[in-house]
Amino acid sequence: MSSSSETNRQKRSIPPGILLLRCLGGKHLGVNFHRAVVLVVTFIAYTCYHASRKPPSIVSGVLHPKSTSPTVGLEYTGLSDPFPWPLNLIYIKRVDGNVSHEGVAGLGSVAQKGWAPFNRKDGSVLLGEIDMTFLAFYSFGMFFSGQLGDRSNLRLFLTVGMIGSGAFVCLFGMAYWWNIHVLWYFLFVQMMAGVFQSTGWPCVVAIVGNWFSNNKRGLIMGIWNAHTSVGNIVGSLVAASALQAGWGWSFIYPGLLIISGGVLVFLFLVVEPADLDLVSPHEANANRAIDSSNAQDLSENRALLADYESGTASNVTEEATVIGIESIHSKLQDAPDAESNVLHSAEDKTLDSQSIEAPVGFLEAWMIPGVISFSFCLFFSKLVAYTFLDWLPYYIRNTKIAGQYLSNQTAGNLSTLFDLGGVVGGILAGFISDKSHAKAMTAASFTYLTIPVLLLYRLFGGVSLYLNVGLMMLSGLLINGPYALITTAVSADLGTHGSLKGNARALATVTAIIDGTGSFGAALGPLLTGYLSLYGWDSVFAMLMLSVFLAGLLLTKLIRAEFKEKVERSRNLKRQASGGEDVAGSLRQPLIVAG
């Protein structure tokens, strides 16, 4: 196992782009520079992943136009736009009587008739099956991708995944020019796209986890996880604007975007600090811990020796005192060498342990405390999040807002405001979890607050455009908060859990388990929506609120544990303030402390 791991390290070369930077005079670029590059490159990479997932939801109204919508586009009866400038230039599209039915040249007949086989009465069900196929294979692929990622070069693995994803996204769009109308073609393309898309999340979380320690990970990853919402926004805007030339282009442009992202990853992404002979944050933390422990031992020994020499030592036998003092004298004589060499020995020990450690097994990773609870919480969280991701443009398009219907392009653009709220939600959840040191409490709080907001959105979202937008953004904030927290900071924390005994080769596997389980919910939500929407949107929202409630319920055990930790920590602090007994010893228990 040791030789195998060492071989993998030798094969992982420095990315060509980084070599070029070094040749141009950047030989001494520090760890902070490379951390910034890793954050930017992985952010762009997963933005591309999510952007390439948006086209099906944007073109769904074109493939399956709902006959109950009497108007397409927004008709005005007043003199003022619903949005002031410049929002009216982005989100609202006037309908000219001389323009085709869709308001876009070249789409008139398609917008009216739809695209077989999705233009049937049960077309919404077929669209749900398309989404389910993608997410089901994405979920299954996630488990294998995590195991493969922990055993391979993550940079090359991610590059292949992005290029493969882009190719199959483009193939979906090519059906427009190849005039393909058979369902099996779309199912096959979505199946393969799901497999390649599953390479993304375990890789990027594992790589970011290699470069950043647990301290402030919630806030950093909350900001970094904005790529999910940014990708949804970019994908929606690109796909919606491309409808002007034909719905096929709504797939081609995002497909080319993710292929370009794969090239960027190949050129500039460094998997871990060791590839550049830099010390990782985990090694640095271990070194500081060892150094601090060694210094504390030496300080205690000096204090004991001083007490003995001054005659104040007590409660020890003479023989034990003599033996102990001789040992302390020996340690103190070696202290300068010990203090000077501790950092080097710690580094050697850490690197040696990494070179021989084996990847964590699949079942072993499931047994890490918290993995099961957070995994099934994410199952229901992603069920809700992906239902909005796939169906929100369709819902907006086919629901009256202030007595009017919106066009497909306008509905797609407006749906991006849900993701804009999601950006704020991910950052806010990360910040709160860092300050409170209670990730389960934070996730559950967001989750339970989502229930009344969803009810309000369903009941009053159609009253006015402003109210619809406000409730939509608030829903995005509350839904994406726990989703972002669990898929980033929680996954990374559990991937470096103390039960792993320092084995760092579990990040991709743990991330894949949590997000893979969640992705089964992501596959189920859009599929159920396709069927339930036939009975009315009230049924869909009832399903979403029930899922959110179950997501919060699954965190109950972890919330109870976090509460007990906080109570115990508070008691310890009170004992410390009043000079209570063995405070230092009790504080060494595994409590959540500020980092």
Side-chain angles (χ1 to χ4, degrees):
M1 187 64 67
S2 174
S3 60
S4 173
S5 179
E6 291 172 355
T7 302
N8 287 338
R9 283 183 176 276
Q10 293 172 358
K11 288 182 179 179
R12 194 156 61 203
S13 58
I14 298 176
I18 300 299
L19 287 175
L20 178 61
L21 290 177
R22 288 187 167 188
C23 293
L24 295 176
K27 293 182 179 180
H28 304 292
L29 297 174
V31 66
N32 288 334
F33 171 82
H34 289 292
R35 281 179 179 173
V37 171
V38 167
L39 280 180
V40 171
V41 173
T42 53
F43 185 95
I44 293 174
Y46 216 70
T47 295
C48 294
Y49 270 103
H50 261 265
S52 67
R53 298 177 191 176
K54 284 300 293 184
S57 66
I58 298 300
V59 305
S60 60
V62 176
L63 302 179
H64 175 62
K66 196 169 181 179
S67 59
T68 57
S69 302
T71 62
V72 181
L74 188 62
E75 296 182 347
Y76 300 101
T77 56
L79 297 177
S80 61
D81 287 337
F83 277 116
W85 186 91
L87 294 181
N88 60 339
L89 302 178
I90 301 174
Y91 292 110
I92 302 302
K93 183 176 182 62
R94 289 186 180 276
V95 177
D96 190 322
N98 297 324
V99 180
S100 62
H101 180 78
E102 173 60 20
V104 179
L107 277 183
S109 61
V110 174
Q112 290 176 341
K113 300 178 181 178
W115 189 272
F118 306 106
N119 58 354
R120 294 166 9 193
K121 184 177 180 180
D122 62 343
S124 62
V125 175
L126 297 181
L127 290 171
E129 291 176 353
I130 289 290
D131 293 331
M132 186 273 294
T133 299
F134 170 84
L135 290 167
F137 279 86
Y138 174 82
S139 304
F140 281 114
M142 186 77 71
F143 296 113
F144 296 102
S145 294
Q147 290 284 295
L148 289 173
D150 280 332
R151 291 165 169 78
S152 62
N153 186 328
L154 288 174
R155 176 172 65 93
L156 299 181
F157 191 60
L158 188 60
T159 299
V160 172
M162 294 183 74
I163 294 175
S165 296
F168 282 99
V169 170
C170 290
L171 283 175
F172 194 112
M174 291 303 298
Y176 176 76
W177 292 279
W178 293 343
N179 201 28
I180 296 176
H181 297 276
V182 289
L183 183 62
W184 69 261
Y185 174 84
F186 298 102
L187 291 174
F188 173 75
V189 169
Q190 286 293 81
M191 175 182 69
M192 296 304 299
V195 171
F196 278 101
Q197 285 265 336
S198 68
T199 61
W201 192 241
C203 291
V204 294
V205 172
I207 292 170
V208 172
N210 288 337
W211 284 89
F212 292 90
S213 63
N214 294 10
N215 299 336
K216 306 302 179 185
R217 184 179 273 170
L219 178 59
I220 291 173
M221 286 194 156
I223 297 172
W224 172 76
N225 193 64
H227 54 53
T228 299
S229 297
V230 172
N232 292 340
I233 293 171
V234 171
S236 296
L237 294 177
V238 170
S241 61
L243 280 173
Q244 298 179 15
W247 67 261
W249 290 106
S250 295
F251 288 87
I252 297 298
Y253 290 140
L256 294 178
L257 181 65
I258 191 173
I259 290 174
S260 301
V263 175
L264 179 70
V265 165
F266 176 78
L267 292 176
F268 291 100
L269 187 59
V270 181
V271 173
E272 60 178 334
D275 295 342
L276 300 175
D277 298 323
L278 298 172
V279 178
S280 75
H282 310 294
E283 294 169 1
N285 287 342
N287 295 340
R288 281 193 293 268
I290 295 173
D291 194 18
S292 175
S293 176
N294 184 72
Q296 183 178 358
D297 289 342
L298 292 174
S299 177
E300 290 174 354
N301 288 337
R302 287 193 178 99
L304 182 59
L305 180 60
D307 289 343
Y308 174 77
E309 291 176 344
S310 64
T312 58
S314 60
N315 299 327
V316 290
T317 64
E318 181 178 354
E319 181 181 2
T321 300
V322 172
I323 296 175
I325 296 304
E326 288 178 352
S327 174
I328 291 172
H329 271 298
S330 175
K331 290 181 179 179
L332 291 177
Q333 289 174 356
D334 297 335
D337 292 336
E339 289 175 318
S340 62
N341 292 330
V342 74
L343 182 62
H344 300 293
S345 63
E347 290 178 354
D348 293 341
K349 182 178 180 180
T350 304
L351 293 174
D352 288 343
S353 65
Q354 283 191 349
S355 65
I356 62 175
E357 65 190 15
V360 172
F362 183 75
L363 294 178
E364 183 182 355
W366 270 103
M367 294 300 103
I368 297 173
V371 167
I372 293 177
S373 296
F374 277 116
S375 294
F376 285 99
C377 173
L378 189 62
F379 174 92
F380 290 105
S381 296
K382 289 192 75 169
L383 185 153
V384 177
Y386 270 72
T387 297
F388 274 89
L389 175 70
D390 292 339
W391 284 95
L392 184 57
Y394 186 87
Y395 173 74
I396 296 173
R397 164 68 184 83
N398 293 284
T399 301
K400 280 187 177 182
I401 299 177
Q404 303 290 340
Y405 288 92
L406 305 183
S407 70
N408 287 310
Q409 182 173 353
T410 302
N413 289 340
L414 275 177
S415 69
T416 62
L417 295 174
F418 175 87
D419 296 297
L420 190 61
V423 172
V424 179
I427 296 173
L428 186 62
F431 176 78
I432 293 174
S433 70
D434 277 344
K435 291 296 183 181
S436 64
H437 305 288
K439 290 182 171 61
M441 288 183 182
T442 303
S445 299
F446 275 68
T447 298
Y448 286 127
L449 286 173
T450 304
I451 298 174
V453 173
L454 287 178
L455 181 61
L456 290 173
Y457 182 60
R458 175 55 187 159
L459 294 177
F460 302 107
V463 172
S464 73
L465 206 51
Y466 284 111
L467 190 58
N468 185 286
V469 167
L471 290 172
M472 187 196 309
M473 294 183 69
L474 185 58
S475 298
L477 185 152
L478 294 172
I479 291 170
N480 196 65
Y483 167 33
L485 186 64
I486 294 172
T487 54
T488 54
V490 169
S491 296
D493 286 352
L494 294 177
T496 54
H497 194 270
S499 64
L500 296 172
K501 299 179 180 179
N503 190 342
R505 300 188 67 190
L507 265 174
T509 299
V510 171
T511 301
I513 287 175
I514 293 177
D515 201 49
T517 304
S519 295
F520 280 110
L524 182 62
L527 178 65
L528 290 177
T529 301
Y531 285 100
L532 292 176
S533 63
L534 298 176
Y535 302 96
W537 288 103
D538 289 341
S539 302
V540 174
F541 275 81
M543 180 261 295
L544 296 178
M545 288 185 283
L546 176 62
S547 299
V548 167
F549 174 75
L550 293 175
L553 200 63
L554 284 163
L555 294 178
T556 302
K557 183 178 180 181
L558 296 176
I559 292 172
R560 196 177 298 132
E562 286 182 350
F563 181 76
K564 288 181 179 178
E565 272 188 355
K566 287 187 170 296
V567 171
E568 186 175 352
R569 184 168 183 264
S570 178
R571 288 174 180 171
N572 288 333
L573 291 175
K574 288 180 180 178
R575 290 197 198 105
Q576 186 179 29
S578 60
E581 57 183 30
D582 194 21
V583 175
S586 61
L587 286 176
R588 281 194 289 266
Q589 300 301 315
L591 301 176
I592 301 178
V593 295

